[in-house]
Amino acid sequence: MSDYNFAYLDEQTKRMIRRAILKGIAIPGYQVPFASREMPMPYGWGTGGVQVTAACLTPEDTLKVIDQGADDTTNAVSIRKFFEKTAEIAVTEKTGDATVIQTRHRIPEEPLGEGQILVYQVPIPEPLRFLEPRETETRKMHALEEYGLMHVKLYEDIARHGHIATSYAYPVKVEGRYVMDPSPIPKFDNPKMDMAAIQLFGAGREQRIYAVPPYTKVVSLDFEDHPFDPSKADHPCDLCGAEHTYLDEVIIDDDGGRMFVCSDTDYCAGRQAKGHRGRLSPTEEAAQ
Amino acid sequence: MYVAVKGGERAIDNAHAWLAEERRGDPSVAELSVAQIREQLALAVNRVMTEGSLYDPDLAALAIKQARGDLIEAIFLIRAYRTTLPRIGHSRPVETETMLCDRRISATFKDVPGGQVLGPTFDYTHRLLDFKLAADGEAMAAQMAAPRLESTPHVTEFLNKEGLIQTEDRSEDTPPDLTREPMELPANRALRLQALARGDEGFVLSMAYSTQRGYGNSHAFVGELRIGKVAVELDIPELGFAIEIGEVELTECETVNKFAGSKIEPPQFTRGYGLTFGQTERKAISMALVDRALRSKELGVEMSNSPAHDEEFVLYHCDNIQATGFLEHIKLPHYVDFQSEMELVRKMRAEIFAAQHKEAAE
Amino acid sequence: MDMQSLSGGFTNPPQDSSRAFRAALETLARPGTIHDISGAKAPAPVSEAAATLILTLCDPETPIYLAGAHDTQDIRDWVAFHIGAPIVGPERAMFALGIWEALSPITAFPIGTPEYPDRSTTVIVEMEALRQDGMRLSGPGIKDSALLALPDLAPFQMNAGLFPLGLDFYFTAGTRLAGLPRTTRVSDLMEAN
């Protein structure tokens, strides 16, 4: 594929993105402005993540791409193919074999290690955006560490609903300084963000890059009387029996029958290969 | 058994094949050539070049063909292509005074030096469907006057000589480029103009229209509208001078707006400016009105909370590629987040029912 | 212009710079680790690591400050030919290159603003050698603690105290690279014990 530069982006664009990534690493949770480029896929399809991944990839990397936790969802397939074509790198569905993982909406169940980079696709990087629509104002709020509005909002939730009514994109505080949007991952995934891998966040349309270095304190906002609760569906996986994973609810018949399966397809397949079985596993059905 | 979205790869390939077939339409009907689009749908081509920020009629026509006539999709194709191009150099600012005008009108004066030239405009056509075109689109050649060779002065300069309009200071600063640097607010005028030139025609039109209807009133006159070709020159450092590398067709609009003056400053007109590729006058006029509205703070006039006066609102929402991408992305699977919302709603409902139950029992 | 100034670029720029960037990312994300970085050669006394780092990260949009013995005509020519970055004083530098004594005092460099803390200088300090001993490091990127020999103590402690503002550092020797972001807390091994 000689029509495009390695990993699609031109070198000057990559340098600009790389500088932004490094400043992001140096200031965990702070959103670094960058001159996001038009990519050959639309805004909202992961252009920020794709640009960050393109700036990070080396010819020796092995890339995994997931959307909703699955390698086989259409957008994950499309992004994986894009990098296979433009960077000629190895790809995998196995979390443990990947050196770079691009994700939309999930953190893999298998703990990530040193030597891995997790790249998040981010739609709205500003955690304060729904409280204050103006960039000029939210920038000031971050500068002054003025996060009272966010706590008021969360507390109003509790007063009205008895709960903090945020179940995904649940705000976190990074290293005791910046309030950060963890991207629209379910809050179930928030505790995993304290990890050994490098986490990079790319928001293409909004032109922001931010980062969480390894072993960095990431705390979900909460209150003493309402501690953070990383809840999930109260079921085991119907295919692998896992009780500790995030589950997708699937409607399986016209009467509205449900099954619950791991959203992380690679993790579920790995468990099944090891002999774990769930309520609706094919082998068990056959045995009955 | 139905399990999530599987077989993504095959589904994409099939969808693309179908799309290609739909693009071609009925194969018994002759295929459109890129040249036909370029020549006969020139105004669509112009819009794609303007909002795509790339002057290349052939590529714009190709993009329209590939996008099945969806102009925003075509603009997107052009933008994605443009961003891969290396920057060889920067042209000098074009001199629109030397434009070879196909059209040049002023609404503020009955006649002006250089004359009123209507050019190829829909303005005074009767909007009656011409059924003759359905059968035969051939046209008689129009009569041509000898081209004007001398440069055509800008109408606002006549006002400026009298001191009636604010002077625009020349700046040697390199203008910012939002395709190379992230948007930073507050934006200077050059950056705002770039964003508006790339902005969606419909959005910029509606913003301009809102200022006319009283949302941030700054009554505008079209001081001048001119359309024509100008030379593009590039500085060659090795040569030490600039050489002409080609020409582009531009639409330039300058509006004259009222300004009541202040206690210290005598009353004076103010300016709005629009510049676009090709013949795209609706866009250029809209751009000039919105430019002027966004200047209200620096000019110290008609401050209001109107949308068109809100730089952040206008600049962050005028780009149709950003807008359509984010809007349409909600078609992508969101079931992980939706799942967590369902869990929360169920949990909260269960707690309320339990509490009601307990109350009823007591 | 010396011939030396025209040579010493990457053989395969996209691939070479991608590997160099990953070393730069890993070392800054994991203070105390040392990575190899190579591929570019600039006139002496610029180390291969420093040459590779600036060739990877700098371009006409990043003003560079060359400190002390690193400000030679040969090096200016090399930067002009390979990078095109403007050479500026410390107060406008996005990147700075030199030995510690020449770079000091580091108070001349921009440390960013409360609204834009990223607008601060990245300082590349050329060292005799890089060693994992001397100072104890802790903070983001470090599991418990790490060790790295630094050319000084108080300026790095002061810099960390500026967080979220502050400078970010790279240390180079030969083909070796280490990083020290503003978030790293530094203490003397002797004092800590």
Side-chain angles (χ1 to χ4, degrees), chain B residues 26-42:
Chain B
D26 182 348
S28 68
V29 175
E31 189 191 348
L32 267 177
S33 72
V34 166
Q36 284 170 337
I37 296 170
R38 184 193 64 218
E39 296 302 318
Q40 298 175 41
L41 297 178

Side-chain angles (χ1 to χ4, degrees), chain A residues 34 39 41-54 63-71 73-83 100-108 117-126 168-169 180-186 193 199-210, chain B residues 325-326 329 332-334 337:
Chain A
F34 85 111
M39 297 301 288
M41 62 268 303
Y43 290 114
W45 265 245
T47 52
V50 167
Q51 289 180 76
V52 169
T53 298
L63 177 70
K64 171 183 166 84
V65 184
I66 50 173
D67 185 344
Q68 312 294 302
D71 298 88
T73 37
T74 41
N75 199 39
V77 171
S78 151
I79 291 172
R80 191 164 57 236
K81 274 176 116 174
F82 174 73
F83 282 116
V100 177
I101 302 173
Q102 181 168 330
T103 181
R104 178 168 170 261
H105 295 191
R106 275 309 313 272
I107 297 175
I117 298 175
L118 182 60
V119 179
Y120 295 77
Q121 301 173 199
V122 182
I124 304 276
E126 178 50 72
Y168 61 90
M180 183 187 95
D181 182 306
S183 89
I185 54 173
M193 298 188 82
Q199 297 173 79
L200 303 177
F201 299 77
R205 187 180 39 79
E206 296 280 338
Q207 307 191 310
R208 297 290 182 271
I209 284 173
Y210 52 104
Chain B
F326 196 53
H329 106 284
L332 295 182
H334 281 78
D337 291 345

Side-chain angles (χ1 to χ4, degrees), chain B residues 84-102:
Chain B
T84 65
L85 298 176
R87 278 277 142 127
I88 295 161
H90 297 266
S91 73
R92 303 185 71 108
V94 293
E95 294 296 344
T96 50
E97 196 169 287
T98 62
M99 178 186 281
L100 292 169
C101 298
D102 286 339

